[in-house]
Amino acid sequence: FLPHLVASMEQVEETYIMIKPDGVQRGLVGEVISRFEKKGFKLTGLKLFHCPKDLAEEHYKDLKSKSFFPKLIDYITSGPVVCMGWEGIGVVASARKLIGATNPLQAEPGTIRGDLAVQTGRNVVHGSDSPENGKREIALWFKEGELFEWTPVQAPWLTE
Ligand code: GDP
Ligand code: MG
């Protein structure tokens, strides 16, 4: 290993991105996936999935005490979602930037929520908020055999 290669490998992270039921119902699946693809991140897992209540509660367990928690669980379990794993250097923070602020009215134009949504309770997409949660959420939403290791042919044109 060359030292510079080791240094850049260390920043490779994984994040859990999910298109919520409103994004699926509104036909935004391709649009959302496309933004992560075009940015240059690597897709490691992808499935359409109807989330059971217990999984939704586990995923959002930090928000259990919030008044909107029951509504949030109803929303996430109301129809199929698209579950994705994305990998790349700095992907966790970068994905949060691509997604935009939690409240779509405050999200910048150019972000997914800024361009495609109007209300916090229907904000189209989820993204992990830390590398630790990225790992935790990918383990939570994907089973063995549903994640893939592969090398995109464009890799040398995206990273030095
Ligand atoms: P995120 O990390 O930007 O998705 O935001 P949070 O982790 O704070 O909240 C998780 C999700 O809960 C949000 O994406 C919203 O779908 C939902 N949520 C957060 N705050 C509210 C709220 O005040 N009202 C409603 N209805 N939903 C909320
Ligand atoms: Mg969050």
Side-chain angles (χ1 to χ4, degrees):
F1 271 130
L2 298 168
H4 72 273
L5 194 58
V6 174
S8 67
M9 295 270 293
E10 276 168 5
Q11 299 154 26
V12 173
E13 301 168 348
E14 51 186 340
T15 192
Y16 176 65
I17 303 295
M18 175 167 70
I19 305 172
K20 297 177 179 180
D22 51 331
V24 176
Q25 289 286 355
R26 293 176 54 206
L28 299 174
V29 171
E31 167 82 33
V32 172
I33 294 176
S34 184
R35 294 185 180 213
F36 291 94
E37 263 190 326
K38 283 189 243 176
K39 174 72 174 167
F41 293 125
K42 182 173 91 177
L43 188 63
T44 58
L46 173 70
K47 66 176 178 185
L48 191 68
F49 181 65
H50 200 133
C51 171
K53 199 171 175 215
D54 57 347
L55 177 59
E57 287 173 348
E58 176 63 22
H59 175 76
Y60 282 123
K61 65 181 177 190
D62 292 348
L63 300 172
K64 201 151 194 154
S65 64
K66 304 283 186 189
S67 59
F68 60 81
F69 187 76
K71 268 197 338 190
L72 174 58
I73 299 307
D74 284 350
Y75 162 47
I76 293 303
T77 59
S78 65
V81 297
V82 173
C83 309
M84 292 178 278
W86 288 92
E87 186 185 283
I89 296 168
V91 69
V92 173
S94 179
R96 297 274 297 184
K97 277 192 183 169
L98 291 173
I99 290 168
T102 305
N103 181 343
L105 292 183
Q106 275 148 31
E108 295 294 329
T111 65
I112 294 167
R113 288 167 174 168
D115 289 347
L116 306 173
V118 290
Q119 226 182 20
T120 304
R122 296 287 185 272
N123 62 4
V124 176
V125 62
H126 165 83
S128 309
D129 62 8
S130 69
E132 298 69 43
N133 277 335
K135 281 191 168 40
R136 176 182 85 88
E137 292 169 4
I138 282 174
L140 192 62
W141 288 86
F142 287 101
K143 290 190 288 226
E144 219 183 291
E146 290 182 336
L147 295 164
F148 297 88
E149 278 187 43
W150 59 289
T151 305
V153 290
Q154 57 173 327
W157 303 103
L158 280 160
T159 50
E160 295 185 280

